[in-house]
Amino acid sequence: MKALLNWRMGAAIFALTLLAGCGSTQTTTATTGEQLTDLNQALESGAITWEEYSEQKEAILDRND
């Protein structure tokens, strides 16, 4: 009986340990160069206009000064 209780306690602790990691979030911040490269690719692919490119480029450079 004691062995069964120890096994259940161990399983519960293991499950709680796994669940504790599920709620964590990780954020990654792109470097200025990565942001500008992505922006340039969006312009070249036609996803954004020249005006949008110019506005976003200025915003990226202002944020990272």
Side-chain angles (χ1 to χ4, degrees):
M1 183 69 150
K2 189 175 180 180
L4 180 61
L5 183 59
N6 285 340
W7 181 84
R8 285 185 179 173
M9 182 68 94
I13 291 171
F14 179 72
L16 288 174
T17 302
L18 288 177
L19 289 174
C22 291
S24 66
T25 58
Q26 293 180 344
T27 55
T28 40
T29 305
T31 65
T32 302
E34 290 169 334
Q35 292 175 7
L36 292 172
T37 298
D38 290 344
L39 187 63
N40 191 49
Q41 288 175 349
L43 176 65
E44 289 177 352
S45 71
I48 61 173
T49 65
W50 177 255
E51 291 80 20
E52 291 169 320
Y53 171 84
S54 297
E55 290 172 7
Q56 290 297 315
K57 180 180 175 184
E58 187 175 327
I60 290 169
L61 293 175
D62 287 345
R63 253 193 325 262
N64 293 301
D65 278 344

